[in-house]
Amino acid sequence: MSYAILTLTNARKELGTTAIERHISKALSISDSKVTAMLEDDNSATIILYPEDENDAAQPISIDAELMAAQLNTLIKSGEASEWANLDSTCEPADDEEEVSIEEEDAYELWHNIPDEERTLHLDEIPNPDGVMILPSHCSSSVITEINATVISPCESQMRRDPSLVTFDNVDRVDVADIHTLSWDKPVIIANAVPKTTCSKTILDKDRLQDMYGDVQVRTGNRETLIDNGFTNSKPMSLSDALLSSKNGTTNTECGTIVFSPVKELPNDLITELSPLMKAFPCEDETAPIAKKFTLTIASEGFGIGMHKHKAAMFMLLVGKKKWYMTASDDLKGVVDTHPGFYQELSSHKCIQQAGEVLFVPNDWYHEIFNLEYTLGIQALPE
C-alpha cells in the first residue's frame, strides 16, 4: 500500500482536523498536504499518510505504518504530543490495513465547508515571480505594478522578467497524424488535434458561460494556492464571480483568480458540451490507452499556476494564448533561487500556445504558465 492508515484514540477533537494534520506532519517531518485527518464519533481520529513523491506511478512509494505509529506513540508517552493528543492516547495501524473511503459527494461537501482562513494555513512559503518568499493566500498576492505612477499591465510587468515573453518559442510542433513518431520525453505541441467542428466558439463564449452557468460553484485559486494539491487548497466561488474576477480590464494584478475545476463536478449540460473536446485528446499509446481525468481552467491575463510538477499531462487550449516555461526536474537539482530565473535561463523549453493546440508536458517536468490574455482550456492527467 502506497499510503498508511493509522487510528489515533482519544484525540483532541476540539482542535479540528486542520490543526491535527499540521501537528502530525510536524511530528513526522512530512508536508502538511500529505496528511489527512478524519474525526470519528468515538473520539478517535483516522490519520492517512501519503508519500512525499507520488509522481512515479510505476514505482509507488510505500509508507511503513508500524514505524509511523511507533514514532507518534513515543511522542505521546513523553508528553511532547500534548498539543494534539492526550497522555492516554494511542496510535496504531488500522486493523488489517482496512480501507478508508469517502463518497465523492461527501468529500466535496467537506471541502466546500472548510473555513476560508484554513484553506492555506498548511502551505509553506514559496517564491513569488520576483523570488520573494511569500505564504500562499487567496488574497491577491501581487499588487498593481506601477512605473512612474502609471499602472502597467501584467504582460508589461512580466516582460521585465522575460523580455522574450511574446516572441521566444523553442518547442517542436507535430501534426496529430504524426504523433506515433514521438518519444514523449520532451515537451511538444500537437496541432490539428481539435477538429474545428468539434466545439463552436459560441459555446465557450464568456458571456454565454456566465448566463448559462453563472450560479455553478467552481474551484478557484491563484498562482500560489494551486501549486501544492490545488484541488484541496482551492476556494469555492460561483462561476459568475470567478469570471468577473478574471475579466480583462477589471484588475491589473498579476496573480488573479483562476478557475481550476474537475469537469466531473460541473453540471451535466456543460459536461455534455465539453465531452467532444475531452474525446479529442490525443493518445500517447493507442495499444494501451490511459484513463484521463479532466480539469476546466479559466484565467485572465497574468500568471497561471506557479512552478510545479506532476505526472505527464496534456493541456488543450481553446481560447486565448499562453506562455509556458518548462524544464526537467534534474535541471533544477541543487538550485535554491528559482525565480525570476525560471522565466529565462532556468527553463530549457518555452512556448507560446495558441488556441486549438494541445501541449504535452512530460512526467516530472517543472512548468509554470503565464496567460498572455484571457484563456480557457482543459487539462488532462492520468486518472
Side-chain angles (χ1 to χ4, degrees):
M1 166 180 306
S2 61
Y3 55 87
I5 305 172
L6 311 178
T7 299
L8 176 66
T9 65
N10 200 16
R12 292 191 55 187
K13 297 176 66 174
E14 71 275 10
L15 296 176
T17 56
T18 300
I20 291 175
E21 290 167 355
R22 189 163 60 249
H23 286 303
I24 289 180
S25 68
K26 183 178 180 181
L28 296 175
S29 299
I30 60 178
S31 302
D32 293 7
S33 61
K34 302 302 180 183
V35 181
T36 297
M38 294 186 290
L39 300 177
E40 310 295 348
D41 293 336
D42 59 357
N43 286 328
S44 68
T46 297
I47 310 298
I48 307 176
L49 307 175
Y50 300 92
E52 287 286 345
D53 188 353
E54 299 177 280
N55 283 323
D56 191 350
Q59 295 181 322
I61 301 171
S62 296
I63 294 181
D64 189 331
E66 294 278 355
L67 178 61
M68 296 292 101
Q71 290 182 20
L72 294 177
N73 280 325
T74 298
L75 294 173
I76 292 171
K77 291 177 182 178
S78 68
E80 295 180 58
S82 59
E83 290 183 314
W84 52 272
N86 295 294
L87 285 175
D88 58 348
S89 297
T90 59
C91 188
E92 301 293 339
D95 293 338
D96 300 323
E97 294 185 327
E98 62 182 278
E99 291 189 6
V100 176
S101 62
I102 184 169
E103 295 294 331
E104 286 188 0
E105 286 188 10
D106 293 334
Y108 181 85
E109 191 67 21
L110 285 171
W111 162 78
H112 195 276
N113 292 332
I114 297 173
D116 285 348
E117 64 272 13
E118 293 185 10
R119 293 183 183 277
T120 57
L121 284 178
H122 60 287
L123 298 178
D124 295 327
E125 287 187 334
I126 61 170
N128 75 358
D130 294 308
V132 178
M133 300 302 292
I134 60 172
L135 284 170
S137 168
H138 282 289
C139 297
S140 183
S141 62
S142 295
V143 298
I144 294 174
T145 304
E146 297 186 13
I147 296 180
N148 296 326
T150 300
V151 176
I152 65 173
S153 71
C155 278
E156 290 173 314
S157 182
Q158 179 63 358
M159 286 188 73
R160 295 192 299 162
R161 307 181 188 99
D162 174 19
S164 62
L165 176 68
V166 296
T167 56
F168 188 81
D169 186 324
N170 66 346
V171 172
D172 292 337
R173 281 168 167 76
V174 175
D175 189 89
V176 67
D178 298 321
I179 62 173
H180 62 280
T181 64
L182 297 175
S183 59
W184 304 104
D185 59 353
K186 63 180 180 179
V188 63
I189 284 182
I190 303 168
N192 301 316
V194 185
K196 294 180 181 179
T197 57
T198 299
C199 182
S200 168
K201 287 186 177 180
T202 57
I203 293 177
L204 304 174
D205 179 76
K206 185 189 297 185
D207 291 334
R208 179 183 181 275
L209 288 174
Q210 185 157 316
D211 290 341
M212 294 281 292
Y213 305 107
D215 293 335
V216 173
Q217 291 285 299
V218 294
R219 298 182 187 246
T220 68
N222 56 44
R223 176 187 180 273
E224 287 84 32
T225 63
L226 292 173
I227 287 178
D228 183 7
N229 195 11
F231 288 138
T232 302
N233 306 330
S234 58
K235 175 182 176 180
M237 184 182 293
S238 72
L239 180 59
S240 180
D241 287 343
L243 289 173
L244 183 63
S245 297
S246 65
K247 190 171 183 179
N248 288 336
T250 61
T251 177
N252 284 314
T253 58
E254 295 182 279
C255 304
T257 300
I258 302 167
V259 173
F260 194 69
S261 253
V263 170
K264 65 182 180 181
E265 293 180 359
L266 300 175
N268 289 333
D269 287 349
L270 183 52
I271 293 175
T272 299
E273 292 181 343
L274 296 176
S275 181
L277 294 166
M278 294 184 286
K279 292 178 181 178
F281 270 91
C283 184
E284 297 97 310
D285 185 355
E286 293 289 353
T287 63
I290 301 173
K292 301 288 180 67
K293 55 184 178 183
F294 303 97
T295 304
L296 175 69
T297 73
I298 304 174
S300 62
E301 177 188 341
F303 283 99
I305 301 176
M307 192 185 81
H308 64 292
K309 62 179 181 177
H310 44 61
K311 296 182 177 71
M314 289 187 182
F315 188 88
M316 178 185 290
L317 186 59
L318 301 165
V319 177
K321 290 189 294 185
K322 287 178 177 283
K323 179 67 174 274
W324 290 76
Y325 304 91
M326 299 165 282
T327 202
S329 292
D330 288 346
D331 294 343
L332 292 183
K333 280 187 177 179
V335 177
V336 176
D337 299 322
T338 56
H339 289 72
F342 192 66
Y343 307 126
Q344 294 196 48
E345 73 278 2
L346 294 183
S347 54
S348 61
H349 290 66
K350 304 173 183 67
C351 70
I352 299 171
Q353 185 183 18
Q354 307 284 342
E357 295 180 331
V358 175
L359 173 68
F360 171 77
V361 181
N363 182 64
D364 220 26
W365 272 56
Y366 282 108
H367 53 285
E368 183 167 348
I369 308 101
F370 187 89
N371 299 289
L372 297 171
E373 56 193 48
Y374 169 81
T375 62
L376 183 150
I378 300 175
Q379 179 196 69
L381 272 170
E383 184 69 67

